[in-house]
C-alpha cells in the first residue's frame, strides 16, 4: 500500500530531475538569504550556478550542529520570521538548543513525508494511531501527528509518559498503530503484563519506532511481546523531524524520501563521499525546506545507503538502521563500542530481559566497561551455578563482538530504571 504511489514509485531518472531542480532553487535561496552560506560560497569562490547536478554536491561545504549553535537562534533561516509558522528546538546536553523553523509549505511537506512513512509501516486511513512520542519543542510527536491526520487516521495525541493511562486508552480506544521510542514500547509491554493484559486482547497491529538506535533483536522482542509488526523510522529536527526515512513492509531498510532530502555517505575522517553499500557518516541536504534549508548537514549517524530494487515497489534509496554515531560512540581502551552492538548480543540470549545499562569507569589508566543486564525472575531465583554460566556466556559473546573484555553484572528484573522517552543506556563515570 502507498500513500503517494506516483512519487514513491517514481523512476530514478525522473527523481533525479526533480532533485536537480529543487537543489538549484535551494542553493539560490540560501546564497541570497543566508549570510552564513553566502560567506562560505565566497570563501570557496563558488556560485549557485556552478552546481549543475546533484553529482556536484561534493564541491559544496558541510553544515554542522556547531554552525547552528553559532547562528542561534535565527541566523540560518532563509526567510523572514513573519513567514515562519512553527518553531521547534532539539534537546541539547549543554548550552542552548538548536532551533528549527517551518513555513506553511514546510509543515505541509512534513505532513506528507510522515503520512508516507506511516503507510509504509502498515498504517491506513482506518488506523487508530496512538502517538506516544513527546509533544512540544521536540519534533517527534507533532510531526507524526500531522502525518496521521493527513492520512485521515484517528489520531490519539497522548504524548509520552503516564503509562497507566497509555495502557487504558490503548485498550479502550482500540488502538491499532503505536508510535513511540522502541525502549518505551518495551516499557509499555512490561506495563501490560503488570495489568494482566494479553496482547491478544488488544487491537494493535503495527508500530513505528525511532528517536534512538535499536537492534534487530530488539525488534523481535517488541514484535513478540506486543504481537505487532515493528518498523523503524528515522528523522532529525535539523532536517525536518521524523519522516525523513521509514521502513516498508519488507523491514530491511528505511526508504529515504529523496524528493525532499538528498542523502550522502561520507568517510567521517577524510570527509570524502563513499559509494552505495559503504558504512560511513550520513549527510543530508534538505532541498525543499523554505524556513531552514540545510546544505550537506553532517548528522554524525553511521549507516549504509543501498540503491537496490525493493520488493515493495518503492524506488527511493534505503538506509540501514543507524549503528552508532561518529562523534559520541563509546571509546573503551581505544576500541569503538556502540550500545547497539551490545544490545544485539544481549537480546540474542534468551534468558535476559531487554533492559540493560553500560557503566564506564577508569581504574588508574585503564577503562573498565560494566554491562548490567536484567534476567528473568525465574532465572534470578535459580541456582548460582546457572547464573554464573549465563554470565560467562554473555562475557564470551561480548568479547567476541567488541574485542574487549567487559564485566557482566546480572540484576533482578525491573531493577534498571525505565525511561518514558529515550533510554539512558550509558553512564560514563570517567574523569578526563
Amino acid at each position: 500500500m502507498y500513500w503517494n504511489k506516483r512519487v514513491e514509485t517514481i523512476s530514478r531518472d525522473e527523481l533525479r530531475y526533480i532533485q536537480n531542480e529543487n537543489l538549484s532553487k535551494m542553493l539560490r535561496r540560501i546564497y541570497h538569504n543566508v549570510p552564513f552560506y553566502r560567506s562560505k560560497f565566497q570563501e570557496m569562490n563558488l556560485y549557485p550556478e556552478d552546481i549543475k547536478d546533484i553529482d556536484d554536491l561534493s564541491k559544496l561545504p558541510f553544515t554542522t550542529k556547531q554552525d547552528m549553535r553559532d547562528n542561534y537562534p535565527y541566523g540560518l533561516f532563509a526567510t523572514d520570521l513573519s513567514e515562519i509558522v512553527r518553531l521547534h528546538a532539539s534537546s541539547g546536553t549543554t548550552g542552548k538548543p538548536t532551533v528549527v523553523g517551518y513555513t506553511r509549505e514546510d509543515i505541509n511537506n512534513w505532513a506528507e513525508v510522515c503520512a508516507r512513512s506511516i503507510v509504509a509501516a502498515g498504517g491506513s486511513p482506518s488506523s487508530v494511531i496512538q502517538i506516544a512520542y513527546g509533544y512540544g519543542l521536540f519534533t517527534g510527536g507533532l510531526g507524526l501527528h500531522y502525518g496521521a491526520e493527513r492520512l485521515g487516521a484517528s489520531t490519539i495525541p497522548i504524548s509520552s509518559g503516564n503509562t497507566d493511562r497509555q495502557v487504558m486508552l490503548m485498550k479502550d480506544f482500540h488502538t491499532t498503530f503505536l508510535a513511540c521510542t522502541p525502549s518505551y514500547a518495551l516499557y509499555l509491554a512490561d506495563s501490560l503484563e503488570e495489568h494482566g493484559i494479553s496482547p491478544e486482547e488488544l487491537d494493535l497491529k503495527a508500530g513505528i519506532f525511532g528517536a534512538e538506535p535499536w537492534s534487530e533483536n530488539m525488534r523481535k522482542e517488541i514484535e513478540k511481546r506486543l504481537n505487532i509488526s515493528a518498523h523503524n523510522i528515522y528523522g532529525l529536527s535539523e532536517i525536518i523531524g521524523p519522516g525523513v526515512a521509514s521502513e516498508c513492509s519488507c523491514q530491511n531498510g528505511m526508504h529515504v524520501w529523496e524528493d525532499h532530502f538528498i542523502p550522502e555517505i561520507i568517510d567521517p575522517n577524510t570527509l570524502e563521499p563513499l559509494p552505495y553499500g559503504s558504512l560511513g557518516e550520513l549527510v543530508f541536504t534538505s532541498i525543499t525546506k523554505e524556513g531552514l534549508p540545510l546544505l550537506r548537514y553532517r548528522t554524525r549517524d553511521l549507516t549504509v545507503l543501498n540503491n537496490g530494487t525493493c520488493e515493495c515497489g518503492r524506488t527511493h534509496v534505503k538506509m540501514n538502521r543507524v549503528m552508532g554515531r561518529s562523534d559520541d560512540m563509546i571509546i573503551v581502551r581505544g576500541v569503538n563500542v556502540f550500545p547497539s552492538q551490545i544490545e544485539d548480543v544481549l537480546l540474542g540470549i534468551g534468558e535476559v530481559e531487554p533492559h540493560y545499562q553500560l557503566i564506564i569507569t577508569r581504574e588508574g589508566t585503564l577503562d573498565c566497561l560494566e554491562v548490567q543486564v536484567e534476567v528473568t525472575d525465574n532465572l534470578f531465583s535459580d541456582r548460582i551455578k546457572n547464573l554464573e554460566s549465563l554470565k560467562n556466556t554473555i562475557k564470551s559473546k561480548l568479547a567476541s563482538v567488541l574485542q574487549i573484555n567487559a564485566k557482566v553484572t546480572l540484576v533482578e528484573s525491573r531493577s534498571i530504571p525505565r525511561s518514558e522517552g529515550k533510554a539512558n543506556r550509558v553512564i560514563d563515570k570517567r574523569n578526563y
Side-chain angles (χ1 to χ4, degrees), residues 130 158 161-172 184 187-188 191-192 194-195 197 420:
Q130 186 161 328
I158 194 168
N162 201 341
T163 304
D164 287 346
R165 184 177 174 85
Q166 298 266 3
V167 169
M168 179 186 74
L169 296 188
M170 188 179 293
K171 186 175 183 181
D172 294 349
Y184 191 55
Y187 190 49
L188 284 169
S191 187
L192 287 168
E194 290 170 3
H195 285 80
I197 300 173
E420 295 182 341

Side-chain angles (χ1 to χ4, degrees), residues 42-61:
Q42 289 171 348
E43 288 173 10
M44 302 174 73
N45 198 28
L46 275 175
Y47 295 91
E49 295 75 22
D50 296 330
I51 306 304
K52 307 296 184 185
D53 188 271
I54 59 173
D55 289 339
D56 292 333
L57 270 175
S58 59
K59 299 177 181 178
L60 295 168

